[in-house]
């Protein structure tokens, strides 16, 4: 297979850039994340032009710039030399790497989860489909090793009202 289509996005086969010491030939991989967004499903790559990041404030002001996601601390938007922190009290929605995130009320997925969170908009039409990622610690029963895994939860919203919830493991 040379390509596949998922949610109207075309993924082209591109072998990962791996050099193992035995084979001298490596395949060049694009890393221009300033102009493009790359999504990968195993050895298939989807490339699209990167849209400008923005934040939408609670007062309906849209501020364009570049969102930075530091290892420690909260994400923020860098506009010229000004910074805008992405906080629930002031930011209603933001776009980062061509994905739109909205601050919404949702069902709790576990006892320690918050009622509200930024959810990634997957589909926007008569209904909206949102994805919520949560890092969960799991304890292996055999060797008592604690591992972290990402669990994805999906929420369907119709007219700002939650109507269905589904959980899926990746």
């Amino acid at each position: 297979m040379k390509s596949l289509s998922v949610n109207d996005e075309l993924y082209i086969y591109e072998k990962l850039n791996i050099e193992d010491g035995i084979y001298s030939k490596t395949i060049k991989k694009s890393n221009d994340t300033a102009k493009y967004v790359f999504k990968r499903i195993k050895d298939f790559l989807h490339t699209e032009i990167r849209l400008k990041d923005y934040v939408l404030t609670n007062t309906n002001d849209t501020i364009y710039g570049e969102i930075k996601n530091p290892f420690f601390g909260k994400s923020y938007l860098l506009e010229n030399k000004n910074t805008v922190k992405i906080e629930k009290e002031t930011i209603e929605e933001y776009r980062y790497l061509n994905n739109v995130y909205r601050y919404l009320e949702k069902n709790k997925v576990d006892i320690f989860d918050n009622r509200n969170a930024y959810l990634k908009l997957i589909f926007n039409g008569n209904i909206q489909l949102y994805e919520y990622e949560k890092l969960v610690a799991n304890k292996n029963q055999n060797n008592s090793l604690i591992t972290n895994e990402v669990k994805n939860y999906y929420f369907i919203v119709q007219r700002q009202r939650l109507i269905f919830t589904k959980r899926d493991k990746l």
Side-chain angles (χ1 to χ4, degrees):
M1 191 169 19
K2 293 184 179 182
S3 65
L4 61 99
S5 178
V6 177
N7 295 333
D8 294 328
E9 294 176 341
L10 183 64
Y11 289 77
I12 307 292
Y13 178 79
E14 181 184 284
K15 190 85 172 148
L16 288 172
N17 186 7
I18 299 172
E19 186 172 330
D20 61 1
I22 297 173
Y23 303 101
S24 61
K25 184 180 176 186
T26 61
I27 297 170
K28 188 177 178 183
K29 181 183 164 196
S30 300
N31 285 328
D32 191 1
T33 57
K35 294 181 182 176
Y36 300 100
V37 173
F38 303 101
K39 297 178 185 175
R40 185 171 287 282
I41 299 175
K42 300 208 178 198
D43 288 340
F44 292 87
L45 182 69
H46 170 71
T47 306
E48 60 187 46
I49 294 174
R50 183 175 179 173
L51 301 173
K52 198 158 184 109
D53 296 338
Y54 72 81
V55 294
L56 177 66
T57 66
N58 291 341
T59 58
N60 286 331
D61 293 325
T62 304
I63 305 168
Y64 290 91
E66 184 179 354
I67 291 183
K68 301 288 185 179
N69 196 3
F71 192 68
F72 293 106
K74 293 188 177 193
S75 299
Y76 61 91
L77 178 98
L78 185 62
E79 180 222 6
N80 296 332
K81 294 182 180 181
N82 300 326
T83 60
V84 178
K85 286 187 180 180
I86 299 176
E87 297 178 311
K88 62 184 178 183
E89 293 83 16
T90 56
I91 303 300
E92 182 177 307
E93 172 181 302
Y94 67 92
R95 179 171 59 204
Y96 176 62
L97 296 176
N98 292 5
N99 293 314
V100 174
Y101 298 85
R102 291 188 181 149
Y103 190 74
L104 296 172
E105 183 177 332
K106 61 168 185 54
N107 294 342
K108 286 180 146 189
V109 297
D110 61 31
I111 195 164
F112 301 110
D113 192 26
N114 292 326
R115 175 67 73 192
N116 299 322
Y118 283 104
L119 305 178
K120 182 167 109 177
L121 180 64
I122 304 292
F123 177 78
N124 192 10
N126 290 335
I127 62 168
Q128 290 97 28
L129 175 64
Y130 292 95
E131 179 182 33
Y132 174 59
E133 281 190 359
K134 182 159 173 59
L135 188 63
V136 179
N138 288 329
K139 184 177 178 184
N140 189 331
Q141 295 176 356
N142 297 335
N143 58 10
S144 68
L145 179 69
I146 296 176
T147 59
N148 289 327
E149 78 174 304
V150 175
K151 287 190 177 180
N152 294 57
Y153 300 88
Y154 297 91
F155 299 94
I156 296 175
V157 177
Q158 181 179 20
R159 295 188 188 111
Q160 299 301 323
R161 189 188 70 160
L162 185 64
I163 58 172
F164 179 75
T165 304
K166 180 186 178 213
R167 183 181 70 132
D168 188 22
K169 261 202 267 187
L170 285 181

